[in-house]
Amino acid sequence: MNTRLAGVLWDMDGTLLDSEKLWDIAVRDLAVELGSEMTDEIRRSLIGASGPNALRIVFTGLGLDPDPEAMRAAGGFLERRVTELMAEPIPWRPGAKDALAMVRAAGLPSALVTNTKRSLAEFGLDTLGREYFDASVCGDEVPHGKPDPAVYLRAAELLGLDPKTCVAVEDSPTGAASAEAAGCAVLVVPCEIAVPEAPTRSQRDSLVALSVTDLHDVLRTRYPLDQA
C-alpha cells in the first residue's frame, strides 16, 4: 500500500492555542472550591484528559469521595470558570496560525480534534477561525475521549479519509496515544509536559516554519514501508 498524506488533524489546547494556562487557573480554582489545593502532580496528570476523566483525577487526587452529584457540581463550576477565561481572545501557540494557513493553502483537509467539550471548544474556534477546518470533533461527541481513539476515528470519517493517511498534531501523551491508536501518524509539539519519544513518532519544538514536506516526513516515520 502506498500511503500518502491526505489530511491533518489538529489538537487544540496546548497545540494550537496556549489555553492550557487558562485550564490551569480553572482547575486550581476548582480545588479551592472543593476545599483543597491543587498539587502540580495532579495538575500535570490532567493535561490532555477528557472532562469526565479529568474530574475523576481531581477527586481521586484530592482524596475526595467521587459522589456523582458532587462531580456534576464540580463539572459545572469548571465549565463556568473556563467560559469566563475563554471569553477573551486566547493566545496562540508559536507558529500555529501560520501552520494552519500553510495546510489550508496546500489544499489539505483539516479537522480540529479536542477533548474539550463542544460548548467550550467554540470559544477556541472563535480565535482560531472556522475557515481553517473542514470538520471538528469534541470530547463530548464520542463515547470516550482521548486516550481512546474515537475522536480521531470520527474526525477522519468526517473528512472521508483513512486515518493512516492523516497526520495528527498533538502536545500531550494522552493525545498522542489517542491518535496512534486510531492509526494516525503523530507529530508531537510538547507544551506543558514532556511526551515520551518513540520510533513511530515525530517531535519538534514548535510549529514555527512547519512545511508540507515536514508533514510528509511525519507520515513516512510512522509508515516507512508504505511509502513509494
Side-chain angles (χ1 to χ4, degrees), residues 169-200:
V169 188
E170 276 283 356
D171 74 302
S172 71
T174 299
S178 171
E180 285 182 330
C184 304
V186 183
L187 172 60
V188 176
V189 186
C191 179
E192 299 292 335
I193 56 175
V195 180
E197 296 187 8
T200 55

Side-chain angles (χ1 to χ4, degrees), residues 20 25 27-28 38 57 59 84-85 116 125 131 133 167 206 223 226:
E20 284 293 353
I25 294 171
V27 296
R28 291 183 187 278
M38 180 67 59
I57 291 169
F59 273 69
E84 293 172 0
L85 294 167
T116 298
L125 282 165
E131 67 273 16
F133 305 99
V167 168
S206 78
Y223 296 112
D226 287 351

Side-chain angles (χ1 to χ4, degrees), residues 61-184:
L62 297 179
L64 301 174
D65 178 18
D67 173 73
E69 185 57 39
M71 289 184 67
R72 276 193 294 273
F77 175 92
L78 191 60
E79 181 171 358
R80 289 190 299 274
R81 189 70 182 100
V82 174
T83 298
E84 293 172 0
L85 294 167
M86 287 188 169
E88 299 296 326
I90 306 165
W92 290 78
R93 292 289 295 152
K97 191 168 188 176
D98 289 341
L100 285 176
M102 176 274 296
V103 168
R104 180 55 85 211
L108 290 167
S110 283
L112 189 70
V113 187
T114 177
N115 256 352
T116 298
K117 64 188 302 184
R118 172 61 66 180
S119 60
L120 297 176
E122 288 296 321
F123 289 103
L125 282 165
D126 286 342
T127 295
L128 292 167
R130 289 169 176 77
E131 67 273 16
Y132 289 116
F133 305 99
D134 301 289
S136 59
V137 183
C138 298
D140 58 340
E141 296 171 341
V142 292
H144 302 286
K146 305 173 188 178
D148 189 276
V151 282
Y152 277 106
L153 292 172
R154 178 59 177 158
E157 179 184 27
L158 289 173
L159 295 180
L161 301 176
D162 183 336
K164 285 186 64 175
T165 67
C166 298
V167 168
V169 188
E170 276 283 356
D171 74 302
S172 71
T174 299
S178 171
E180 285 182 330
C184 304

